[in-house]
Amino acid sequence: MDVRGAVVLVTGANRGIGAEFVEQLKKRGAAKIYAAARDAGAIDADGVHPLELDITSAGQIEAAAAAAGDVQVLVNNAGISTGTSLVAGDEATIRREMDTNFYGPLLMTRAFAPILGSNGGGAILNVISALSWFTAPSAGAYAASKAAAWMLTDSTRLELAAQGTHVVAVHMGLVDTDMAKAVEAPKIAPSDLASAGLDAIESGAQEVLADDWAKFIKSGLTLDPKVRYEQIFAALGA
């Protein structure tokens, strides 16, 4: 579908990748942009419609769906990374990460799918991660939530095909945002990631491997797990 003239809702739109999605949508001529964040006052963008939205709150999601009944494209971008391991990590923190990175996009999809259907089908874009296919001891909770988000994307793509809704997964390694500022490694610019995602909506692509790291990680999925992890850690210099 053509982003120009479309009505779009972006979650986590106050900074980083979400803020760049807003800017790229403006450049591409989106007719209306709902910029959603837990603190709508933190949204620093002209010409948008701010929405107060915590995607872990069913009530706020319901209110957002009621306020934005003209949406044609949903960008599920909001997410967190807590650096929590699965065996020794705090259980409440693990649940918070799953609530944000999996259940949040799931509940947003459930709330907005009927809206998209009534508005012609439209599209859903889920910002996921190469860590849906790879993990490390300190990233267990994040990787598990992103693996679940990957399957959420594949499943809802099948479930929503009949109503003409195009569902896109965007995978990437490190992005130059606050979330990755402590990591010394090559990073993709948020603008490049957002542009790749919007290109996929316009072209009809189902999956975006936005950088070399995502392509490398996915290319090893057919390997024995031990071999795959040896290769990944060797590439990381670990």
Side-chain angles (χ1 to χ4, degrees):
M1 66 174 293
D2 195 347
V3 170
R4 180 174 296 278
V7 179
V8 187
L9 189 155
V10 181
T11 66
N14 56 311
R15 62 178 182 169
I17 297 169
E20 194 55 51
F21 265 110
V22 170
E23 291 306 309
Q24 293 293 321
L25 285 163
K26 288 164 66 175
K27 290 178 181 177
R28 294 186 186 221
K32 187 177 185 180
I33 303 169
Y34 291 101
R38 284 178 294 178
D39 177 10
I43 296 169
D44 183 22
D46 296 328
V48 302
H49 297 260
L51 276 181
E52 196 91 10
L53 177 59
D54 179 346
I55 63 168
T56 67
S57 167
Q60 289 194 24
I61 289 174
E62 182 180 353
D70 51 351
V71 165
Q72 297 167 294
V73 178
L74 170 63
V75 179
N76 283 317
N77 163 73
I80 61 171
S81 176
T82 65
T84 304
S85 62
L86 291 177
V87 176
D90 176 64
E91 182 181 342
T93 304
I94 295 169
R95 288 182 182 277
R96 182 164 68 90
E97 198 143 4
M98 190 65 74
D99 283 344
T100 305
N101 296 345
F102 170 69
Y103 282 106
L106 170 61
L107 294 178
M108 288 292 293
T109 297
R110 288 167 63 95
F112 279 90
I115 293 171
L116 295 175
S118 66
N119 292 330
I124 299 172
L125 185 151
N126 293 330
V127 177
I128 310 183
S129 173
L131 266 75
S132 57
W133 305 313
F134 163 72
T135 191
S138 63
Y142 182 79
S145 70
K146 290 299 187 177
W150 176 36
M151 194 48 60
L152 161 70
T153 305
D154 284 356
S155 296
T156 54
R157 181 182 300 122
L158 297 175
E159 293 181 39
L160 297 177
Q163 71 172 37
T165 300
H166 172 209
V167 182
V168 184
V170 178
H171 297 269
M172 67 288 182
L174 293 171
V175 185
D176 192 10
T177 65
D178 289 345
M179 187 181 289
K181 66 182 178 181
V183 182
E184 293 295 331
K187 301 171 186 177
I188 186 174
S191 58
D192 290 341
L193 180 67
S195 182
L198 296 178
D199 284 348
I201 289 175
E202 296 193 321
S203 70
Q206 296 183 347
E207 184 174 82
V208 177
L209 304 180
D211 58 8
D212 291 340
W213 185 238
K215 294 171 186 174
F216 172 64
I217 296 294
K218 192 174 185 188
S219 71
L221 285 179
T222 58
L223 299 175
D224 178 273
K226 182 176 184 295
V227 174
R228 183 170 76 248
Y229 274 79
E230 286 175 349
Q231 289 187 357
I232 291 170
F233 283 119
L236 288 170

